[in-house]
Amino acid sequence: ETGVTQTPRHLVMGMTNKKSLKCEQHLGHNAMYWYKQSAKKPLELMFVYNFKEQTENNSVPSRFSPECPNSSHLFLHLHTLQPEDSALYLCASSQGGAVEKLFFGSGTQLSVL
Amino acid sequence: EDKVVQSPLSLVVHEGDTVTLNCSYEVTNFRSLLWYKQEKKAPTFLFMLTSSGIEKKSGRLSSILDKKELFSILNITATQTGDSAIYLCAVEETSGSRLTFGEGTQLTVNP
């Protein structure tokens, strides 16, 4: 256990559905991240939150909408996704935005039909 | 654009073999290079390297950085089946909270 919990572990959704991914960290960190890992592609940073404020949006389409109500929780709201959005979505946290030691969750494996 | 290239992309060995994984990078403002092990889903931290020529070791794993030639290697000696995983290399810039990852090396250790 890394101290970062993601739910659900697997998600299958149609292109017209709306769903949300949840991430919770129990490490007392103040920075949280969403990464996308597609098959045979490098991990891609999507969003960064420091002290609940979004500090980075890596040109992510608006069909992905993050929410960070507090330093321990991070959500990724999904709507009208495309099949190419199928991937493993990983949440991570760190202390003070120090990426040198990210703690990752086990991810949500998303399939868009 | 920052770039991290890992090789090989996949590797199959027998238990007891020694393996060397490679990571080369092009980054504008280098701060550190990190190695992660991804078993099942969650990547876990292995090493952070900031200086050339200083070997970091943890059990059978070791890693070294060459900032002149812009690469790092990760060595695993006496491999075990539990070493089977994807090994990810990432480079951190000085400018912000960003890691650029390589594609990873899928290592399979057969008994």
Side-chain angles (χ1 to χ4, degrees):
Chain A
E1 278 299 323
T2 63
V4 181
T5 304
Q6 288 187 243
T7 55
R9 299 292 287 266
H10 299 89
L11 179 62
V12 180
M13 59 188 288
M15 289 191 284
T16 58
N17 291 157
K18 288 185 181 181
K19 296 285 184 184
S20 295
L21 310 185
K22 181 182 175 183
C23 177
E24 184 175 358
Q25 57 97 359
H26 309 278
L27 301 167
H29 290 165
N30 50 31
M32 297 187 77
Y33 310 76
W34 280 116
Y35 279 87
K36 176 183 178 183
Q37 189 175 32
S38 304
K40 299 188 179 180
K41 286 188 178 179
L43 271 165
E44 300 171 57
L45 178 67
M46 299 176 73
F47 300 105
V48 181
Y49 278 82
N50 268 295
F51 292 98
K52 305 186 301 176
E53 299 297 320
Q54 188 180 122
T55 56
E56 189 145 355
N57 176 338
N58 196 23
S59 303
V60 181
S62 59
R63 58 186 184 270
F64 295 91
S65 175
E67 180 190 358
C68 189
N70 55 60
S71 295
S72 299
H73 294 85
L74 185 64
F75 296 88
L76 189 62
H77 304 298
L78 315 172
H79 63 98
T80 59
L81 293 193
Q82 305 297 312
E84 60 265 28
D85 296 322
S86 298
L88 179 68
Y89 288 85
L90 288 163
C91 173
S93 71
S94 70
Q95 184 56 34
V99 295
E100 60 264 24
K101 209 161 182 181
L102 288 175
F103 287 78
F104 284 90
S106 296
T108 295
Q109 186 67 56
L110 174 68
S111 296
V112 181
L113 306 178
Chain B
E1 189 178 315
D2 298 340
K3 195 174 175 184
V4 177
V5 177
Q6 292 186 245
S7 64
L9 293 181
S10 67
L11 187 57
V12 180
V13 300
H14 292 290
E15 266 192 318
D17 288 351
T18 294
V19 298
T20 298
L21 310 183
N22 304 291
C23 176
S24 64
Y25 62 90
E26 295 173 23
V27 172
T28 308
N29 297 299
F30 177 88
R31 180 173 179 176
S32 66
L33 184 143
L34 299 97
W35 285 97
Y36 287 83
K37 178 182 182 182
Q38 187 176 21
E39 298 176 88
K40 297 175 186 176
K41 303 292 185 187
T44 53
F45 173 81
L46 292 175
F47 297 113
M48 182 176 78
L49 304 153
T50 56
S51 302
S52 281
I54 298 174
E55 187 183 49
K56 293 265 180 117
K57 288 199 77 170
S58 177
R60 296 176 294 101
L61 277 66
S62 64
S63 184
I64 198 160
L65 175 67
D66 186 329
K67 290 168 73 173
K68 184 179 175 187
E69 300 297 330
L70 308 182
F71 78 91
S72 173
I73 59 172
L74 175 68
N75 278 319
I76 309 175
T77 59
T79 51
Q80 303 171 356
T81 54
D83 295 326
S84 296
I86 298 173
Y87 289 84
L88 299 170
C89 173
V91 175
E92 181 194 9
E93 287 185 73
T94 56
S95 54
S97 57
R98 175 181 287 271
L99 286 179
T100 301
F101 282 85
E103 205 173 315
T105 294
Q106 172 75 64
L107 173 66
T108 303
V109 181
N110 290 324

